[in-house]
Amino acid sequence: MPKKIVVALGGNAILTDIPTAEAQKESLRQTSEHLVSFVKEGHQIMITHGNGPQVGNLLLQHAAADSEKNPAFPLDSLVAMTQGSIGFWMQNALREALIAHNIEKPVVSLVTQVQVDENDPAFENPSKPIGPFLSEEEAKVEMKKGNGTFIEDAGRGWRKVVPSPKPKSILEYPIVESLTDNGVITIAAGGGGIPVIASEEGFTGIEAVIDKDFAAAKLAELVGADYLIILTGVDNVYVNWNKPDQKKLTDVTVDELKEYIKQNQFAPGSMLPKVEAAIEFVENAKDGKAIITSLENAGKLFDGNGDVTTVIK
Ligand SMILES: Nc1ncnc2c1ncn2[C@@H]1O[C@H](COP(=O)(O)OP(=O)(O)O)[C@@H](O)[C@H]1O
Ligand SMILES: NC(=O)OP(=O)(O)O
């Protein structure tokens, strides 16, 4: 039975160790091989992807070049630029993979704006890590220079943090829905979407980076998806993660996950937003389920062999 699916792609699907454009395009070629399995099974997919490393690097490039003749752009414009560049790479990688599998299907990436609340408390409390990982010493030097706030990111090093408000709506969701219904594979809300607020002129960009897992959950809710599938670096969500008694979660209810959140089982900035996004979708969707697993499991989710984390009501 064909399903309507929103796939949220994690960082390792695009950027591994090498941040060059060529290396990211190569990662996306490999990622596309996995995504094709959904299409082969007849499912309709929409794809959302991250941009944390890329938008942080672009911010550094703009800051380094900043001058009267070549001014740095605001963060919302940088999000739009990464949405464009990653969408361009992904759209071509996916098209090549489809052709290699003799599948004729159009692919498009859509400039997507996501409405947020300008009074969202996230604007007072930057929490979204972007850009390269620094040592503690390097991060402290940057903070002394007035280059923003840096925090330790889930045991992986120090990173700059920026505001990450929750998505309230996705302006272009009816277009995503119509493209999907017409058989087009649509890459939408890339980098969490371009953050905008309602203004007298219509909508205006605001400086922030929206979490792509929350943006994907909102998109899945608005288009009435059957599944939100969050693909990341692990096959399952675990409790007691990285401890000798770690236990993988397979079928898990929203209430059970809320209890685990209370016990601080999921690291903020890595697994916690994924679990929260999955809960949000399952709670708000009429009949939707969420899956959190690795990219490599993409081909075996609905055939009963997938030992993955599935969130149910
Ligand atoms: N409780 C947990 N269960 C499973 N993985 C966890 C848990 N807590 C933290 N992690 C880590 O979180 C990672 C996913 O977060 P992250 O790498 O930030 O996501 P993304 O794939 O979107 O870039 C996993 O690959 C794993 O290393
Ligand atoms: N925007 C966003 O959530 O990006 P990452 O997944 O790369 O952090």
Side-chain angles (χ1 to χ4, degrees):
M1 175 84 173
K3 296 177 175 71
K4 206 172 187 179
I5 299 169
V6 172
V7 179
L9 280 180
N12 64 335
I14 313 172
L15 198 150
T16 46
D17 295 334
I18 312 165
T20 61
E22 209 38 63
Q24 296 187 64
K25 284 196 252 180
E26 182 48 38
S27 293
L28 282 166
R29 283 187 202 109
Q30 293 171 23
T31 296
S32 296
E33 275 301 311
H34 295 293
L35 294 176
V36 163
S37 54
F38 290 119
V39 186
K40 271 179 157 174
E41 289 169 20
H43 305 307
Q44 295 173 297
I45 57 167
M46 290 148 270
I47 304 162
T48 296
H49 59 79
N51 71 341
Q54 295 86 353
V55 78
N57 285 357
L58 191 55
L59 188 69
L60 290 172
Q61 288 169 5
H62 274 241
D66 193 22
S67 69
E68 207 174 306
K69 282 193 177 156
N70 187 8
F73 291 176
L75 191 52
D76 43 288
S77 293
L78 300 183
V79 170
M81 290 166 78
T82 57
Q83 205 179 74
S85 55
I86 299 170
F88 156 55
W89 299 332
M90 189 180 290
Q91 173 173 335
N92 283 336
L94 199 49
R95 192 180 294 131
E96 278 170 31
L98 290 165
I99 290 170
H101 287 267
N102 291 318
I103 301 171
E104 261 189 57
K105 243 186 185 305
V107 187
V108 73
S109 43
L110 187 71
V111 173
T112 319
Q113 304 176 73
V114 174
Q115 191 183 356
V116 300
D117 181 349
E118 64 186 309
N119 297 315
D120 191 310
F123 285 106
E124 302 302 319
N125 176 30
S127 66
K128 174 82 190 154
I130 61 167
F133 290 91
L134 304 183
S135 67
E136 185 173 352
E137 295 69 39
E138 289 168 327
K140 286 187 172 157
V141 170
E142 290 303 314
M143 286 195 274
K144 253 199 186 137
K145 284 198 230 159
N147 288 339
T149 309
F150 289 68
I151 61 158
E152 212 270 333
D153 180 10
R156 300 177 287 191
W158 286 62
R159 289 175 96 188
K160 185 182 178 75
V161 281
V162 295
S164 193
K166 288 277 163 58
K168 284 178 56 178
S169 190
I170 297 182
L171 303 194
E172 292 79 10
Y173 90 84
I175 305 170
V176 179
E177 203 169 14
S178 140
L179 286 166
T180 307
D181 290 345
N182 282 288
V184 180
I185 298 174
T186 309
I187 302 160
I194 306 161
V196 294
I197 51 169
S199 66
E200 274 177 21
E201 304 83 55
F203 289 95
T204 313
I206 187 161
E207 294 207 79
V209 175
I210 299 168
D211 186 286
K212 58 105 181 22
D213 296 312
F214 286 118
K218 182 54 78 182
L219 180 64
E221 175 197 327
L222 292 171
V223 302
D226 301 305
Y227 276 89
L228 166 68
I229 299 184
I230 298 178
L231 298 177
T232 184
V234 281
D235 289 348
N236 292 80
V237 181
Y238 285 79
V239 287
N240 301 328
W241 168 245
N242 260 345
K243 295 186 184 144
D245 60 343
Q246 72 174 19
K247 188 186 103 193
K248 70 168 82 157
L249 301 177
T250 50
D251 285 359
V252 62
T253 65
V254 162
D255 285 346
E256 284 165 338
L257 280 179
K258 284 184 177 172
E259 190 50 43
Y260 290 136
I261 289 175
K262 274 194 208 145
Q263 299 168 9
N264 296 321
Q265 289 284 356
F266 313 120
S270 62
M271 192 46 80
L272 181 62
K274 294 179 196 310
V275 169
E276 288 177 335
I279 290 176
E280 239 173 74
F281 170 64
V282 174
E283 276 189 333
N284 293 332
K286 238 190 275 156
D287 205 14
K289 291 182 186 155
I291 291 176
I292 303 177
T293 189
S294 65
L295 187 58
E296 290 71 25
N297 272 340
K300 44 182 174 174
L301 296 184
F302 307 112
D303 60 6
N305 300 324
D307 173 18
V308 301
T309 299
T310 305
V311 183
I312 48 179
K313 263 214 173 82

